[in-house]
Amino acid sequence: MATVPTPEQPEITFVNGRAVTSSLAVAAYFVKDHKNVIQKIQSLECSPGFTALNFQLSRYTDSTGRHLPCYLITRDGFAFLAMSFTGKRAAHFKEMYITAFNTMEQALIQRSRKTSSGLESIHNHAQRLHENLSIIMAIWADNVQPLNPPIVVSGTVMDTCHRSGLIAAGIARAMRRESK
């Protein structure tokens, strides 16, 4: 018995700026009769909106010159359809899909951790700045201001001190929202 080679992935083309595959390519990839893939698409229990967005009825010309129906299928439509198939190739696709999803999830978790630790570091620096500016304000008020120097910097230092406190508080709020 001869085996028929199958593609590593269904053929993907761009139609109207969207990456799509066809029901013919799906049939070749999963080693299924095209008529069965068409029937499967027509029997999927997805919403009419999802169907309209992801399965576009089209036509192709077969080797005998007949114009027959086929579907152009988006990535989401392909995933939905492929999840309904059985067999070794379908199982392989499902495993690869799950692996890719898990890899993406881990990358997002790592990025979230980096963002959280980055926020903590920024928050610590902002708090330290506020504390240092508060010390400078106290020293100014106790030692320099009573001398009535000809320069006026207390307003500027006070504004900076106040702003640094607002920044530290804002970062703390952002960290609390992220941890929820």
Side-chain angles (χ1 to χ4, degrees), residues 17-56:
R18 289 179 59 162
V20 295
T21 190
S22 70
S23 53
L24 291 162
V26 170
Y29 178 74
F30 287 107
V31 194
K32 296 192 178 292
D33 288 337
H34 184 243
K35 66 179 182 178
N36 294 339
V37 172
I38 294 281
Q39 289 172 346
K40 190 65 157 177
I41 291 169
Q42 293 170 342
S43 69
L44 288 174
E45 295 182 355
C46 51
S47 70
F50 185 88
T51 301
L53 286 174
N54 297 291
F55 299 97
Q56 179 185 357

Side-chain angles (χ1 to χ4, degrees), residues 18 21 50 61 75-76 89 111 122 143 146 165-166:
R18 289 179 59 162
T21 190
F50 185 88
T61 305
R75 177 191 61 228
D76 293 344
R89 267 205 133 17
R111 187 168 57 181
I122 292 169
N143 300 305
L166 292 174

